[in-house]
Amino acid sequence: MNRTTHDRGRDRDEEGRARSARPRDGLGRPLPYGAEGVPRQPEGVVRDPGATLREAQRLFDAGMPFHAHEVFEDAWKSGPEAERDLWQGLAQLAVGLTHAARGNAAGGARLLRRGADRLAAGGVPTGGSSAGGPPGPGPYGIDVGGLVSWARELAARAEGGEGDGGAGPGAVDAAAEAPRLRRDAA
């Protein structure tokens, strides 16, 4: 990334788009220039759904939900239109967990519920009941029903001030709260 004089020191990528070159911590927060951060997820990676889910689960398990959201973002940008709600809903869950882990309980709860609602709204094909029951398994073995329940429960706990992930009042531990994306995931 480059800095130029005409843009008041803004970082730019090779195509000239504004991109922060500041290092980031595991929750995606910018650190001061020169600080040691965690490696960033490369952008624009096209993965098959299985690889997307494996990489996102690895990042969730490592306590890096912000980075998992970037993996889901790549999937919704490169995947079929019919799956956009699936990948966007999963990205919203990841960002919701990120905010909850940063101590932003209200923002985290809002995004967790928004993601859960997107997954449960019917835009994501599942084997669940069409009579308003909980969503069932989704495509690629995704545990849509389990994720919806996890997100709503975590949102309620975050708003209630429970948790102490060390990142602030009411912050949750991102690794300890990592969801299981697939039913077959231990």
Side-chain angles (χ1 to χ4, degrees):
M1 300 225 194
N2 302 314
R3 290 180 139 193
T4 62
T5 55
H6 74 280
D7 62 11
R8 298 188 235 284
R10 291 188 73 180
D11 299 322
R12 301 276 173 182
D13 66 13
E14 292 73 29
E15 286 84 39
R17 293 182 300 242
R19 298 263 190 225
S20 178
R22 287 173 63 181
R24 303 229 173 218
D25 72 5
L27 292 174
R29 292 175 288 217
L31 299 170
Y33 287 103
E36 189 171 331
V38 299
R40 289 184 174 215
Q41 280 300 116
E43 292 184 31
V45 176
V46 177
R47 298 173 182 89
D48 66 58
T52 295
L53 292 166
R54 284 188 300 276
E55 179 64 3
Q57 188 68 66
R58 182 188 72 76
L59 293 163
F60 273 128
D61 292 345
M64 300 171 62
F66 177 82
H67 298 78
H69 125 270
E70 292 177 335
V71 171
F72 292 135
E73 188 174 296
D74 285 341
W76 100 55
K77 289 180 178 179
S78 66
E81 178 71 28
E83 294 181 1
R84 183 164 289 176
D85 280 340
L86 170 69
W87 302 115
Q88 285 180 339
L90 292 170
Q92 287 172 321
L93 297 183
V95 174
L97 178 55
T98 299
H99 282 283
R102 290 177 178 174
N104 176 4
R110 188 170 27 257
L111 281 160
L112 286 163
R113 286 192 181 102
R114 190 178 300 157
D117 290 347
R118 186 179 292 259
L119 292 175
V124 176
T126 68
S129 160
S130 60
Y140 315 115
I142 297 171
D143 186 5
V144 174
L147 288 167
V148 167
S149 296
W150 166 84
R152 290 183 175 152
E153 188 263 277
L154 181 57
R157 280 194 295 121
E159 283 182 327
E162 293 181 32
D164 182 13
V172 301
D173 180 322
E177 296 292 347
R180 306 303 336 142
L181 298 173
R182 291 176 155 171
R183 288 184 181 263
D184 59 1

